[in-house]
């Protein structure tokens, strides 16, 4: 018996269409109380939605019915495609509450889908990532994971452990027998290969995680270098105050950008200089702190004064205001007034970001949770190779398999479920 839950599956209106999802054992009965007879499963039909108590019409809607187990959550599901007005939704909520359906908790639909075996745990995470994806690269990564690529890879790792485990178990069960020569060696080779593959996956996973979060680029330089002008130019908006007064920017200002498909946060900062103004000093302190956290830094200096090398190690050096003076050799020259050099700057940034984020396109780990499981497995394999008793080796191999099983949610799921799904939005 599953409780019947409901939620708005689309963004809150006003909108052309809103989708209300109802799932649970009484979903079909509840829908019948709202519309009368139900269409066949998976065949859309137009119905008048009525309040079951007053009989008053609520909306002219499209109805989609799914029967357990052939639905997203695995139980009976009804989708109401209504007009996307707030009052329409409010009236539907009143009717559903009166029919004893309950508002869904965040992530509850996905959680049910996982518990019904419709999706692996990492696939449910991929849904959350796909919903949150802002750029092409993020969308592709989430879609790969939704397709089950990561779960399949983790299952492959577990499968390759089986041979090693069988060898260790054989030594435990038949300690005095002549086991086939090379059995132990084969097991060791399998463990070493897997351990190295996990180490690579961990490296890739850092990129996978970074792609979910986006790359931070700090824009640094002396006062009046044109930092805020560049931020405004690249974002196409007037996000930061620009003025001829040195020390205009105080707080770090963040702008999210889609840089050729890569998610990037540009950070405008206070011009770096020694100042006696305590507020400006605080701005300079914040600028330096952000520069240290950032994945990439741009060092901007007016072309007329760009002889001095950048004090920020590894920064991309940009000479500004090239409409007034020539950029020195080795510096990227830009002018936000004429637009000269900005295409080249964007291309340079895109290349640098791609260097940080580009992955093999394979099923890479994307979350801290995945990385923790892989780290645990790698460490267990490392211990297994050092074990001098087959019992100890077998135990470490079991621990490694268990850790890898956690990625897709095949083992030990209870402790992660509530935390994971609570971070989803309602209706997912
Ligand atoms: N000629 C010319 N002037 C520019 C250019 N870019 C910015 N400026 C001017 O330079 C002055 C300073 O620009 P800002 O963008 O405020 O410089 P900033 O580096 O953010 O300055 P602080 O926030 O004070 O550190 C403004 O008067 C801008 O209009 C450019 O490409 N050419
Ligand atoms: K300024
Ligand atoms: Mg500024």
């Amino acid at each position: 018996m599953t409780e019947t839950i409901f939620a708005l599956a689309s963004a809150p209106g006003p909108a052309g269409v809103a989708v209300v999802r109802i799932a649970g054992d009484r979903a079909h009965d509840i829908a019948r109380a709202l519309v009368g007879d139900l269409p066949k499963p998976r065949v859309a039909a137009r119905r008048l939605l009525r309040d079951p108590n007053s009989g008053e019409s609520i909306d002219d809607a499209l109805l989609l019915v799914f029967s357990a187990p052939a639905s997203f959550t695995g139980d009976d599901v009804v989708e109401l495609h209504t007009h996307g007005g707030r009052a329409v939704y409010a009236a539907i909520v009143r009717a559903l509450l009166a029919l004893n359906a309950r508002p869904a908790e965040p992530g509850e639909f996905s959680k049910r889908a996982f518990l019904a075996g419709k999706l692996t745990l990492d696939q449910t995470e991929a849904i959350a990532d796909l919903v949150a994806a802002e750029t092409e690269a993020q969308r592709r990564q989430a879609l790969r994971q939704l397709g089950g690529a990561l779960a399949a890879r983790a299952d492959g790792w577990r499968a390759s452990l089986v041979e090693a485990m069988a060898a260790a178990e054989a030594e435990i069960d038949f300690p005095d027998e002549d086991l086939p020569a090379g059995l132990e060696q084969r097991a060791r080779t399998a463990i070493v290969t897997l351990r190295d593959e996990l180490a690579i996956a961990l490296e890739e996973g850092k990129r996978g995680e970074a792609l979910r979060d986006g790359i931070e680029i700090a824009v640094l330089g002396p006062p009046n270098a044109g930092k805020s002008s560049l931020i405004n130019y690249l974002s196409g908006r007037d996000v930061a105050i620009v003025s001829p007064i040195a020390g205009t920017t105080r707080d770090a200002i963040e702008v999210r950008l889609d840089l050729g498909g890569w998610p990037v946060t540009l950070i405008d900062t206070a011009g770096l200089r020694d100042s006696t103004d305590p507020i400006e000093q605080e701005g300079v302190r914040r600028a330096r702190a952000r520069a240290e956290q950032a994945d990439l830094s741009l060092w901007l200096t007016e072309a007329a004064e760009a002889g001095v090398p950048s004090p920020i190690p590894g920064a991309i050096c940009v000479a500004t205001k090239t409409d007034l003076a020539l950029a020195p050799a080795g510096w990227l020259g830009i002018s936000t007034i004429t637009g000269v050099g900005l295409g080249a700057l964007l291309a340079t940034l895109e290349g640098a970001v791609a260097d940080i984020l580009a992955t093999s396109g394979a099923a890479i780990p994307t979350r801290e949770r995945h990385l923790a499981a892989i780290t645990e497995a790698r460490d267990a394999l490392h211990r297994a190779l050092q074990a001098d008793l087959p019992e100890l080796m077998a135990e470490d191999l079991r621990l490694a398999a268990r850790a890898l099983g956690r990625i897709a949610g095949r083992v030990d799921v209870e402790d992660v479920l509530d935390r994971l799904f609570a971070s989803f939005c309602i209706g997912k």
Side-chain angles (χ1 to χ4, degrees), residues 140-391:
R140 280 195 212 104
Q141 172 165 290
L143 197 64
R144 264 197 305 271
Q145 193 171 315
L146 183 58
L150 179 61
R153 192 169 178 204
D155 286 346
W157 289 332
R158 284 218 295 167
S160 70
L161 270 175
V162 169
E163 189 191 359
M165 285 164 94
E169 303 283 355
E171 277 196 60
I172 297 169
D173 293 344
F174 313 103
D176 302 325
E177 314 218 352
D178 275 341
L179 292 170
L183 189 62
E184 195 196 331
Q185 196 45 51
R186 275 220 307 283
R188 287 188 170 275
T189 310
I191 295 172
V192 169
T193 307
L194 181 57
R195 185 197 57 185
D196 294 348
E197 206 186 311
L198 294 185
I200 294 170
L202 282 175
E203 280 308 307
E204 296 168 336
K206 287 185 196 137
R207 292 170 169 238
E209 230 193 337
L211 180 53
R212 285 184 59 237
D213 296 342
I215 283 282
E216 282 196 355
I217 304 178
V219 179
L220 304 158
N224 271 353
K227 302 177 294 297
S228 301
S229 303
L230 177 64
I231 298 273
N232 288 348
Y233 188 99
L234 293 179
S235 64
R237 287 183 295 145
D238 239 357
V239 283
I241 301 174
V242 166
S243 91
I245 301 166
T248 301
T249 304
R250 305 290 176 95
D251 283 328
I253 296 173
E254 300 190 4
V255 188
R256 277 183 85 78
L257 278 188
D258 179 337
L259 198 72
W262 305 112
V264 162
T265 302
L266 281 180
I267 304 162
D268 188 12
T269 62
L272 297 180
R273 68 167 171 186
D274 293 328
S275 165
T276 50
D277 175 352
I279 298 174
E280 193 177 349
Q281 281 173 1
E282 174 60 16
V284 169
R285 193 194 63 74
R286 290 180 186 203
R288 291 190 194 279
R290 293 311 296 259
E292 274 167 29
Q293 286 169 20
D295 303 285
L296 279 175
S297 296
L298 289 183
W299 176 255
L300 268 58
T301 313
E302 285 184 43
E305 296 161 15
V308 195
S310 153
I312 307 291
I316 299 171
C317 292
V318 180
T320 60
K321 311 190 189 180
T322 53
D323 50 295
L324 300 179
L326 281 178
W331 288 61
L332 252 162
I334 61 164
S335 166
T336 53
I337 289 186
T338 63
V340 164
L342 284 148
L345 175 61
L346 276 177
T348 304
L349 281 180
E350 243 178 80
V353 171
D355 278 347
I356 299 174
L357 291 182
T359 60
S360 55
I364 64 167
T366 55
R367 289 186 180 235
E368 182 55 39
R369 192 183 72 77
H370 310 155
L371 297 180
I374 294 171
T375 304
E376 196 179 320
R378 184 205 54 191
D379 293 350
L381 292 183
H382 196 68
R383 284 196 308 273
L385 288 169
Q386 254 120 56
D388 39 18
L389 287 176
E391 285 85 353

